[in-house]
Amino acid sequence: MCRAATGARSYAGFVVTWFERRPQSAEVARPKGRGVPQPSIKVDISSLTPELLHFLGQAAYAELGAFENLARAVSTAPTVSAKEGLSAAAARALAKHHGLSGEIRRRGSEPHIAMAPFVERLDHYRQQTQGADWHELLLSCYLTGGLLDDFFIRLSGGLPREVGARVAHLLGEDSGTGVLVTELQSAIVADPALGSRLAMWGRRLVGDTLLVARSAMPKCDQDAAPDSRIEPVFTELIAAHTRRMDDLGLTA
Amino acid sequence: MCRAATGARSYAGFVVTWFERRPQSAEVARPKGRGVPQPSIKVDISSLTPELLHFLGQAAYAELGAFENLARAVSTAPTVSAKEGLSAAAARALAKHHGLSGEIRRRGSEPHIAMAPFVERLDHYRQQTQGADWHELLLSCYLTGGLLDDFFIRLSGGLPREVGARVAHLLGEDSGTGVLVTELQSAIVADPALGSRLAMWGRRLVGDTLLVARSAMPKCDQDAAPDSRIEPVFTELIAAHTRRMDDLGLTA
């Protein structure tokens, strides 16, 4: 059985309490690679994708936040080697942000105007997910960055074809996060207590991030009736998240 | 009389106490543009330029520090518009850092190894020059970033021809600092007391930065005999600094 499917199931409780999940289908989504979800359940994603400028503003501000977290990790890195590696990851997050800003400008708007509606919520989210120390911050960069990239790539399938493809390509590019994995793996091996703490932190991060993702969808009041269209998307996101936790030797 | 020449003279006292300056020549250097110094006194710059990897490591770590300062300005920006503009400047500083890292790798070394000897001094310098609030940080980004770029461009004239030209081109590229000028100008116009405080801060910054620049030159013990080769370089740097202060309406 593939790890992704196992991981997706281990989060079933979380998803059930949220969406009052329908009886589980045998056709669980099996992402085959980061940023390239392969849903086996056909979902009309366009009904979940926000209007174009709304999407771009939100994704652009999320990438700017990912950059800010990575820049903070650069500044607080304990070694020059880690600083150097993280600076490359920061540059890639910034390139994604500027790519999205370019798409906003191409539509005659300004990035700061398109991003404005999302500042308060995403600033609050980022404050909640910064962690208490450098390793918690690294885990946050790795997990929340990955989850949000995956989420916006998935939603981009509902955008007008040309821009959707460009956005998916941009967000799917290598994030240079190998340095995060390397630093976290070696720290966890050296200190098992850190591993336990980071596993707990990872669970908190996925919860907070899925809440932000949920609120990014149009007409998705969290008190509203369950929506079977949303569930497969979240199942994919959680499966990819679980693979990231597995890579670090952490239980999702 | 051009402003640059006036500015260079207004710092004469500073230079005199440092280098026990020789009688002033009529041929004061007149920089015609940022990063393109036009010395009218011929200086054998190669005797002032450190060995190649030493130069690259030092310049790379200085650019990484410039990036870190800009990233901090992004994170603490009071408006989304300023955040967006500053993120572009941060990307450019990071691109300069990565360009220099590439030059280091091309010579078979690793950036973190080449940068290591400069970490302590430049971290201390950066800590001293971060300022007490966002506007002081912006001024520091603008003035110290500009001074250090100019300085390394000037020294690059003593590097082997091909790499020297590449480095000068890289460091001379637009730094995207227009946003710094705009933000500072409007804040100073709105609050003259801030202007006075920033003028004082600018003087402190140029002092600290010239000390760092001085220490970056080989065999330049500050207690050593005055060196007439160094003086024209510093005269140019100070003239360009004075123009930057002028642009903000501040007295250098």
Side-chain angles (χ1 to χ4, degrees), chain B residues 51-53 56 100-114 166:
Chain B
E51 175 270 328
L52 180 54
L53 267 179
L56 293 172
L100 293 164
S101 296
E103 293 288 349
I104 291 168
R105 287 204 179 88
R106 213 168 289 163
R107 267 136 208 102
S109 184
E110 282 298 321
H112 69 276
I113 293 170
R166 270 204 307 272

Side-chain angles (χ1 to χ4, degrees), chain B residues 166-241:
Chain B
R166 270 204 307 272
V167 165
H169 178 76
L170 178 71
L171 297 181
E173 282 188 354
D174 177 21
S175 298
T177 48
V179 61
L180 298 167
V181 176
T182 311
E183 289 288 337
L184 286 167
Q185 279 174 337
S186 64
I188 290 165
V189 165
D191 177 5
L194 176 67
S196 306
R197 179 157 60 85
L198 289 180
M200 295 257 296
W201 177 237
R203 279 170 224 138
R204 155 89 187 272
L205 289 172
V206 71
D208 286 353
T209 307
L210 291 179
L211 277 168
V212 161
R214 182 79 164 88
S215 69
M217 290 171 164
K219 298 174 203 142
C220 279
D221 181 347
Q222 286 170 38
D223 299 324
D227 190 332
S228 60
R229 295 168 306 162
I230 294 173
E231 194 190 319
V233 175
F234 279 78
T235 303
E236 289 169 20
L237 296 180
I238 292 166
H241 165 80

Side-chain angles (χ1 to χ4, degrees), chain A residues 61 64 67-68 71 74-76 80-81 83-84 87-88 90-91 94 97-98 101 105 111-112 115-116 119 123 126, chain B residues 61 64 67-68 71 74-76 80-81 83-84 87-88 90-91 94 97-98 101 105 111-112 115-116 119 123 126:
Chain A
Y61 201 67
L64 189 55
F67 159 72
E68 288 185 48
V74 169
S75 277
T76 52
V80 189
S81 170
K83 206 185 259 288
E84 171 66 11
S87 76
L94 206 43
H97 165 72
H98 288 136
S101 296
R105 288 203 178 89
H112 70 275
M115 294 190 295
V119 168
D123 279 356
R126 208 162 65 76
Chain B
Y61 200 67
L64 189 55
F67 160 71
E68 288 185 48
V74 168
S75 277
T76 52
V80 188
S81 170
K83 206 185 259 287
E84 171 67 10
S87 76
L94 206 44
H97 165 72
H98 287 136
S101 296
R105 287 204 179 88
H112 69 276
M115 294 190 296
V119 168
D123 279 358
R126 207 162 66 75

